Amino acid sequence: MPTLTRLIIILALISACIYGLMLVLVKTVSPVTSEIVVRVPAHKMMQQPRDTAPASPAPAATPYSDGEPEAEDAE
């Protein structure tokens, strides 16, 4: 059991050090903000014509669930 306790304590110390380093980085480093301009060509702004015809009709629903026809009543 002492080995497990030692492992947990070592992992907790490593986690605390990493957390502390992240906290120091957050407090000391400030991001540099700048304006970004991206030029988009006019031909990319125009919409492409859409196809108005439907692509293909949906397949008809089959009345069979497993591929076998259902037995019909013969009278």
Side-chain angles (χ1 to χ4, degrees):
M1 198 63 167
T3 324
L4 180 61
T5 306
R6 190 178 308 142
L7 175 68
I8 292 173
I9 290 173
I10 290 172
L11 289 176
L13 287 173
I14 291 172
S15 300
C17 288
I18 291 173
Y19 186 78
L21 286 173
M22 288 192 314
L23 187 64
V24 167
L25 280 174
V26 166
K27 294 293 181 181
T28 58
V29 177
S30 61
V32 177
T33 58
S34 62
E35 188 174 331
I36 298 175
V37 177
V38 178
R39 295 196 182 273
V40 179
H43 66 88
K44 297 245 182 181
M45 296 293 287
M46 296 181 351
Q47 291 183 349
Q48 298 294 326
R50 292 186 177 183
D51 189 17
T52 56
S56 63
T62 57
Y64 312 118
S65 60
D66 60 352
E68 295 294 322
E70 294 180 4
E72 295 184 22
D73 296 329
E75 290 185 31

